[in-house]
Amino acid sequence: MSKLFLQIMTIVLLTVVFSVAHAQTGTVSGVVTDQSTGETMPGANVLIKGTLMGQSTDFDGKFSITDVPAGSVVVEASFVGFLPVSRTVAVEAGKTVTVNFSLVPDAISLEETIVIGYGVQKKSDKTGAVSHVTSDQLSKGSLTDPIQGLQGKAAGVLITKKGGDPNAGFAVRIRGSAGYDSNTQPLFVIDGIPNADPTTIAPEDIESYNVLKDAASTAIYGSQGANGVIIITTKKGSFSGVKGKKSTSKVEFNHKTSFDRVAKTLDVMSANELRSFAQRKFLDVLPNNPTYTIDSIFTDGGANTDWQKEIYRVGVNHETYVNFFGGDDKSNYYGSIGRANWQGVMKGTEKDRITAKVNLSHKAFNDRLIIAGNLTSSFENNDYENYGGWGKEDIIYQAISRNPTDPVYNLDGTFNKRQREFNYENPLSIIENITNVRDAKRYLGNLKADLQLTKTITASVSAGYIRNDHEGTYFRPTGVFASADNGFASRYYSNYYSKVVESMINYTNTYYDFHNVVFDLGHSWQESGYDGFSAQASNSQSPGIGADNLRSLVDVKWGDVNSYRGMSQLIGMFSRIRYNFNSKYYVSASIRRDGSTKFGENNRWGWFPTTALGWTINNEEFMRNITWIDQLKLRASYGVSGNQAIGEYRNQALWVPSGLATNPETGQQVISFQPAHNPNPDLKWERTSEINIGLDFALWNSRLSGSLEVYSKNTTDLLGEYVVSVPPNLAPRTFANSGAITNKGIELFMQAFVVDKRDIKWKTSITAAHNKSEFTDLGRFTTAETGVRYAGYISGRGMVGDSYFVNGIAVGQEVGAFYLPKYVGIIDGEFVYESKEGGFTTKLSEAKRTFMGTANPDIELGWSNSLTFYKSWNVDFAFRSLIGNKVYNATKSFFDFPGNLPSLNGLPDALDWYEEGRTKTGPTIADIYLEDASFLRLDYISLSYTVNTDKINWLNSLRLSVVASNLFTLTGYSGIDPETTIDGLSYGIDQYNVYPKTRTLSFGINASF
């Protein structure tokens, strides 16, 4: 009984104590707003200092902290990028006290930081031409390549792609970079690792792009920086900054489902139009051939087939990504995994990619040592179809040219394989029966340690590794083609690796409050290598085995088995100093010395110096009273960078197997060898020197800001392969330095907050660029008789020979210039051209050619917009335009010849040519096929809604979106698409090899937990 009484009294006592304690607490509530705009601030942190009690503000910026002990307490409100505010309040038991906070932006923390070569700096401190694009500014919708997100976002960065093949990549050209035989793509640096492949990472993992455009910015990378540098920084976790406290931990889920449709197909003749033409042609030839019937000139297949409709489909794409991040005061982490499947609109084309990434950082030794590591991997499967030429397997050519009266299938369900002409195949049979796949694995890893030796000196060392493995399989069973076909199979394997070890010492200090100095000293070692193996055979005996066992094919000849290997090394030493006086006057200089195994022993090492100046005019005393100017900074720089992007061993005598031969002494079969090229111990760096003048501005409390750049760069000692005489040379080709190209241009970037109200916001940005390239010296890269080097050769049905070229390379002309004969008229069924001799000719080889424009645009434009309505609704859209670019419509020049009708299909233009009497001149070259390809494209428009999740404890945020991409294109170009890949020396040619652009509708969901 006493024990029961004791238990009851204990319960009563505890209840009383709890009730008293509870009665001694109150509630603190209020609203957090932005002082500069008056808007509420969702997600702000409100804490009772000295306790673990706190809360994040809800969607309306409100908070309510319960069970706060009665008495005087200090309440603090904070938000990233704003100064924290603390207030002391008296909490009364059982009551609610209201305290509101108005936070002021922290000018220092809001200062945007940009990534430069081997370092970071405040954007206001830059002295070179650097474009900074964050993840929220990238293109929306389904991105098959992370680089696609940068399209139209950075002035002077031209990103192009011919067509919409998900397996094809994008070409990137910064400030008109061009050369002879060297690679002119920019250097990609991902999380400090140079020569990384951007497709290794998922677009959702990208934090920002920093594009280094002028030589003063890129020369810190020495021989790898001549074509510009794109630095990609991926997302990371964050340190809490408070001992024992964890930073925000989140899990994010992103999913998109997209539907692709062909935006435009080629307008070819229908079956009935072809039948009508056949009847017309029959009546025209009947007077001279009275015994003819319609079957004498045309065999009607009996069908009405739209072959383009047959090879295309609606592509359904799925992209799913999950990432998670968090940390505390000592460590942080970021991880992600994703899978994307893009089904091409051409049947038989597809890409499936899995990506995984982890970033880790840890502090040690009283936070003086920071160790960071990242590992990224991607696994990609590609399904290909050929469409780049006019062969039997080229799907687009076969679909355009195939007679629409031929059916897809015979009555027994087999593919119709009627053979009307040479290289005449059923494209659906090709798609269905031929296997052409690739399996790619890419790995990217990096480990870095930063040790703070003193308050001003930090030592860093990093090691990175890249490995890309590719395996390909091709199999064509016996009997796929309409003509005799024994089948064919091949397998290949290729591997690329890159190792990099870099170390650096950084000194940062401020003297007498005004003199700010940053000094870097570093060393870099890189090794790149590759190897591969391939085997092929013909005469397949088993369609089931395919290429899985090449022993099931009978015929193997010399050259069917091949392997290769190569390696190069690059060593660099660099230093850089940056100084500014009171953030008003800036001076910086750097120098790098590189040594490469790719060059001759006489020129293996090269120097790459830079210097830059800056003047922040708005910090001057005479600008103090001009309050509407927030920033006005003048910059000037000069630098020299290099290019070593050629193959290995070009400086050495290289002998390669050339075939089988018979040993005259023994009569046995042996392998013969021949020199690939001549040795050149003087082979050296391609050098680009550049002057850049820039102006940064921000007006009216940064409502309007931007930058203006003017530049002139000169690339000399162009790397190329030149034809030489034998003898005295060992081989007919030599790699050497010769020639020069200049690029001059202007770039403008402007950003404006057009509307910045409580319920409506509109942010807009414009990029504009003009670049003019010109060959100033061809050196050995020319034809002695004409002074013009011919390029852009076209081949196809009825167009084979040395005269079928459309581009010319000459001093005083632009890169990619068209060099064409002028069409005069038709006489006796033949094209008539202006002649070299001053008269007229029907022979293309004797026609006078002149330069007639270029595929390079005069102006590149991008216009991006982001609108927010009532905090929940967002509308984003972006236009992109190229103005003044031309495209040679080789597709039209092939398919407007009436002589191919009615056996093959063609364009309606062929009927017009028939009326004009064109009977003899087949597909040819002429200026009438050069078209203005200027265009204005709505790249995307997106609508998203952010759901209020305040009442859902387990859900932080939820956003639903719909994106329409490539809704329309305004252009006068008559082909499928006016946009072509701009890369190399010869481009802007539309030769029935354009995988159609797609119009895409995407539905997305983004949630964080």
Side-chain angles (χ1 to χ4, degrees):
M1 187 71 169
S2 60
K3 183 180 294 186
L4 178 61
F5 177 77
L6 181 61
Q7 291 175 345
I8 293 174
M9 290 303 295
T10 302
I11 293 173
V12 172
L13 181 62
L14 290 175
T15 303
V16 172
V17 171
F18 176 79
S19 300
V20 172
H22 185 70
Q24 299 304 311
T25 63
T27 299
V28 178
S29 65
V31 179
V32 180
T33 59
D34 181 345
Q35 188 183 79
S36 60
T37 64
E39 294 187 1
T40 58
M41 301 180 66
N45 294 316
V46 182
L47 299 173
I48 306 299
K49 297 195 73 172
T51 74
L52 297 177
M53 305 177 70
Q55 193 181 72
S56 295
T57 57
D58 64 13
F59 192 76
D60 296 315
K62 298 178 180 179
F63 67 93
S64 180
I65 306 173
T66 59
D67 297 330
V68 180
S72 179
V73 297
V74 178
V75 186
E76 181 184 79
S78 63
F79 194 84
V80 176
F82 288 76
L83 295 173
V85 175
S86 297
R87 290 194 177 170
T88 302
V89 296
V91 179
E92 297 184 24
K95 295 184 179 181
T96 298
V97 59
T98 300
V99 55
N100 297 324
F101 293 91
S102 183
L103 302 187
V104 178
D106 183 353
I108 296 177
S109 64
L110 285 179
E111 177 72 66
E112 193 171 21
T113 299
I114 61 175
V115 180
I116 58 176
Y118 300 102
V120 296
Q121 65 178 177
K122 292 190 297 183
K123 188 174 181 179
S124 61
D125 287 342
K126 71 174 184 177
T127 53
V130 181
S131 291
H132 179 70
V133 181
T134 57
S135 58
D136 62 319
Q137 298 171 319
L138 301 179
S139 297
K140 305 297 188 293
S142 181
L143 306 179
T144 59
D145 189 317
I147 293 301
Q148 184 180 357
L150 195 57
Q151 246 183 342
K153 306 300 182 180
V157 182
L158 182 60
I159 301 174
T160 54
K161 177 182 177 179
K162 180 189 290 186
D165 187 354
N167 291 314
F170 287 79
V172 183
R173 192 182 71 167
I174 298 177
R175 292 187 167 183
S177 296
Y180 289 158
D181 293 317
S182 60
N183 187 349
T184 57
Q185 292 294 289
L187 172 70
F188 290 97
V189 181
I190 300 178
D191 291 335
I193 306 176
N195 298 303
D197 184 347
T199 61
T200 305
I201 57 177
E204 280 70 16
D205 287 334
I206 295 175
E207 180 69 30
S208 67
Y209 290 90
N210 287 273
V211 185
L212 315 185
K213 296 183 289 187
D214 66 325
S217 301
T218 66
I220 195 70
Y221 290 100
S223 60
Q224 302 176 93
N227 303 316
V229 179
I230 297 180
I231 301 175
I232 301 176
T233 303
T234 61
K235 296 176 181 177
K236 298 174 177 62
S238 60
F239 295 108
S240 66
V242 179
K243 187 174 182 179
K245 181 183 176 182
K246 292 185 177 181
S247 60
T248 302
S249 298
K250 281 187 180 181
V251 176
E252 294 182 338
F253 171 82
N254 293 276
H255 176 79
K256 278 182 283 200
T257 294
S258 307
F259 301 91
D260 288 347
R261 281 187 174 274
V262 173
K264 182 181 180 182
T265 57
L266 197 64
D267 181 21
V268 295
M269 297 173 65
S270 67
N272 289 332
E273 288 174 330
L274 206 59
R275 291 184 179 107
S276 298
F277 175 79
Q279 187 66 32
R280 162 77 183 278
K281 189 173 184 179
F282 167 65
L283 295 176
D284 289 342
V285 301
L286 187 60
N288 296 325
N289 301 275
T291 61
Y292 270 23
T293 66
I294 187 67
D295 294 334
S296 301
I297 63 170
F298 177 58
T299 301
D300 193 327
N304 293 278
T305 305
D306 184 339
W307 285 101
Q308 292 182 90
K309 186 176 181 180
E310 292 295 334
I311 67 170
Y312 297 137
R313 64 186 175 188
V314 175
V316 182
N317 313 317
H318 302 284
E319 302 169 64
T320 304
Y321 301 96
V322 177
N323 58 59
F324 47 92
F325 55 89
D328 54 25
D329 63 313
K330 290 295 183 182
S331 302
N332 65 56
Y333 62 90
Y334 174 90
S336 70
I337 186 168
R339 180 173 183 179
N341 178 269
W342 295 279
Q343 188 182 65
V345 292
M346 181 191 289
K347 295 176 181 177
T349 58
E350 192 168 349
K351 177 162 71 173
D352 187 272
R353 184 167 64 202
I354 296 173
T355 58
K357 182 175 182 61
V358 60
N359 286 339
L360 301 172
S361 296
H362 180 71
K363 293 181 179 180
F365 300 137
N366 294 324
D367 297 344
R368 293 175 59 188
L369 174 66
I370 299 179
I371 300 175
N374 67 78
L375 179 63
T376 305
S377 60
S378 69
F379 308 94
E380 184 172 296
N381 294 308
N382 308 92
D383 197 345
Y384 298 107
E385 295 295 338
N386 293 325
Y387 57 86
W390 62 293
K392 294 182 178 182
E393 297 181 25
D394 289 304
I395 303 302
I396 294 179
Y397 171 79
Q398 294 295 341
I400 294 172
S401 63
R402 194 165 180 84
N403 197 299
T405 69
D406 286 342
V408 178
Y409 302 100
N410 298 316
L411 293 177
D412 61 0
T414 60
F415 285 108
N416 179 277
K417 296 183 180 179
R418 182 190 299 275
Q419 192 169 18
R420 295 177 180 268
E421 300 281 351
F422 173 70
N423 274 5
Y424 186 82
E425 300 294 339
N426 185 331
L428 271 298
S429 176
I430 303 298
I431 292 172
E432 181 69 25
N433 291 297
I434 292 180
T435 299
N436 188 0
V437 296
R438 184 189 71 160
D439 178 19
K441 303 178 183 67
R442 302 183 181 94
Y443 305 94
L444 174 69
N446 185 40
L447 184 64
K448 183 181 182 183
D450 297 309
L451 178 62
Q452 186 178 12
L453 301 176
T454 67
K455 290 183 178 180
T456 58
I457 300 176
T458 301
S460 303
V461 61
S462 65
Y465 183 71
I466 299 171
R467 185 180 178 93
N468 299 331
D469 292 337
H470 301 252
E471 296 179 46
T473 301
Y474 175 93
F475 178 65
R476 185 183 71 243
T478 300
V480 172
F481 295 148
S483 56
D485 175 26
N486 290 329
F488 179 81
S490 67
R491 298 287 301 271
Y492 74 85
Y493 164 82
S494 65
N495 166 61
Y496 167 83
Y497 75 88
S498 176
K499 305 174 186 177
V500 57
V501 178
E502 295 180 323
S503 55
M504 191 173 75
I505 293 179
N506 169 268
Y507 173 81
T508 302
N509 204 355
T510 298
Y511 297 92
Y512 304 107
D513 297 327
F514 298 114
H515 303 279
N516 304 296
V517 178
V518 179
F519 176 72
D520 299 311
L521 181 66
H523 177 272
S524 175
W525 173 89
Q526 296 179 42
E527 179 180 288
S528 300
Y530 58 88
D531 66 90
F533 177 86
S534 64
Q536 63 186 38
S538 58
N539 197 353
S540 170
Q541 303 298 298
S542 170
I545 297 177
D548 293 334
N549 190 337
L550 294 180
R551 290 184 297 177
S552 65
L553 291 94
V554 175
D555 299 330
V556 180
K557 59 182 182 296
W558 184 89
D560 282 348
V561 178
N562 183 43
S563 62
Y564 55 89
R565 180 182 295 274
M567 184 271 289
S568 65
Q569 290 184 335
L570 176 69
I571 298 175
M573 293 161 283
F574 57 90
S575 65
R576 174 178 57 200
I577 186 168
R578 288 171 283 164
Y579 166 81
N580 76 74
F581 174 77
N582 199 26
S583 298
K584 184 187 298 186
Y585 308 115
Y586 295 81
V587 178
S588 67
S590 71
I591 189 165
R592 176 157 176 154
R593 180 165 171 78
D594 272 359
S596 173
T597 59
K598 291 184 177 182
F599 297 117
E601 58 185 16
N602 298 334
N603 291 296
R604 186 150 292 174
W605 292 88
W607 291 97
F608 304 100
T610 73
T611 185
L613 303 172
W615 177 26
T616 305
I617 303 173
N618 60 285
N619 283 345
E620 293 289 354
E621 184 68 25
F622 60 81
M623 297 287 292
R624 175 174 294 181
N625 295 326
I626 305 178
T627 57
W628 56 276
I629 297 180
D630 305 304
Q631 183 191 30
L632 188 64
K633 183 176 181 179
L634 183 65
R635 297 177 281 104
S637 67
Y638 171 81
V640 178
S641 57
N643 188 359
Q644 59 142 16
I646 59 171
E648 294 75 18
Y649 316 117
R650 297 295 192 264
N651 61 316
Q652 304 174 26
L654 186 66
W655 292 78
V656 295
S658 59
L660 296 175
T662 302
N663 187 325
E665 296 180 357
T666 64
Q668 294 180 341
Q669 234 181 19
V670 295
I671 303 297
S672 63
F673 290 79
Q674 67 180 23
H677 47 255
N678 298 301
N680 183 3
D682 295 321
L683 189 67
K684 61 181 179 180
W685 312 88
E686 191 174 280
R687 294 170 62 87
T688 296
S689 58
E690 182 174 5
I691 297 174
N692 187 93
I693 298 175
L695 180 69
D696 300 322
F697 58 89
L699 312 175
W700 302 297
N701 292 323
S702 296
R703 290 286 295 269
L704 175 66
S705 61
S707 61
L708 178 69
E709 311 281 351
V710 180
Y711 63 88
S712 175
K713 67 177 184 177
N714 184 33
T715 304
T716 59
D717 297 325
L718 299 178
L719 291 162
E721 184 182 57
Y722 308 105
V723 177
V724 295
S725 58
V726 178
N729 293 285
L730 187 65
R733 297 183 180 277
T734 298
F735 279 86
N737 302 89
S738 184
I741 299 175
T742 62
N743 280 277
K744 298 179 180 180
I746 183 170
E747 300 164 354
L748 174 66
F749 169 77
M750 285 198 304
Q751 176 178 279
F753 294 88
V754 182
V755 179
D756 192 12
K757 302 296 184 182
R758 177 185 177 86
D759 295 324
I760 300 177
K761 296 179 182 294
W762 177 18
K763 176 184 175 182
T764 186
S765 64
I766 295 175
T767 62
H770 165 74
N771 181 82
K772 175 75 172 180
S773 64
E774 181 181 325
F775 286 99
T776 56
D777 179 21
L778 292 187
R780 307 180 194 179
F781 204 77
T782 183
T783 303
E785 304 88 36
T786 63
V788 179
R789 170 124 176 185
Y790 307 145
Y793 283 89
I794 296 175
S795 65
R797 186 184 297 275
M799 194 182 290
V800 179
D802 294 338
S803 298
Y804 295 99
F805 63 91
V806 298
N807 293 116
I809 301 171
V811 172
Q813 298 297 327
E814 280 198 68
V815 179
F818 292 103
Y819 190 53
L820 301 169
K822 183 174 179 58
Y823 167 77
V824 177
I826 287 182
I827 297 179
D828 297 328
E830 291 186 282
F831 268 34
V832 178
Y833 303 99
E834 290 184 356
S835 170
K836 296 176 183 176
E837 307 302 325
F840 303 98
T841 182
T842 58
K843 295 181 179 180
L844 181 61
S845 60
E846 297 177 0
K848 175 186 176 182
R849 291 185 180 246
T850 56
F851 286 96
M852 299 182 178
T854 173
N856 299 308
D858 293 326
I859 301 175
E860 308 161 24
L861 293 174
W863 182 34
S864 301
N865 296 269
S866 180
L867 294 94
T868 303
F869 302 95
Y870 302 101
K871 299 182 183 178
S872 299
W873 293 94
N874 287 86
V875 176
D876 296 279
F877 62 92
F879 287 91
R880 188 166 51 87
S881 176
L882 299 184
I883 301 174
N885 54 303
K886 297 185 181 299
V887 168
Y888 187 83
N889 195 339
T891 302
K892 180 184 286 190
S893 72
F894 275 98
F895 289 101
D896 70 353
F897 174 48
N900 288 333
L901 309 178
S903 181
L904 301 175
N905 203 358
L907 300 174
D909 302 67
L911 302 179
D912 299 330
W913 282 117
Y914 186 79
E915 293 289 341
E916 293 189 36
R918 178 182 173 185
T919 57
K920 297 180 182 179
T921 299
T924 189
I925 303 294
D927 63 325
I928 57 175
Y929 298 111
L930 185 66
E931 300 184 37
D932 181 9
S934 302
F935 68 86
L936 172 66
R937 171 169 286 147
L938 177 58
D939 269 348
Y940 65 86
I941 180 169
S942 72
L943 173 66
S944 63
Y945 175 71
T946 302
V947 180
N948 189 338
T949 60
D950 289 344
K951 297 181 180 180
I952 307 175
N953 295 331
W954 53 271
L955 186 63
N956 287 333
S957 64
L958 177 64
R959 187 175 71 250
L960 307 175
S961 64
V962 57
V963 183
S965 302
N966 191 28
L967 273 184
F968 65 82
T969 301
L970 302 179
T971 182
Y973 181 63
S974 65
I976 290 179
D977 189 67
E979 184 173 356
T980 63
T981 299
I982 297 179
D983 187 29
L985 293 177
S986 178
Y987 42 84
I989 303 171
D990 174 356
Q991 185 179 340
Y992 47 79
N993 57 1
V994 179
Y995 191 111
K997 276 278 198 301
T998 61
R999 189 161 290 128
T1000 305
L1001 186 63
S1002 303
F1003 299 92
I1005 179 172
N1006 174 276
S1008 65
F1009 308 90

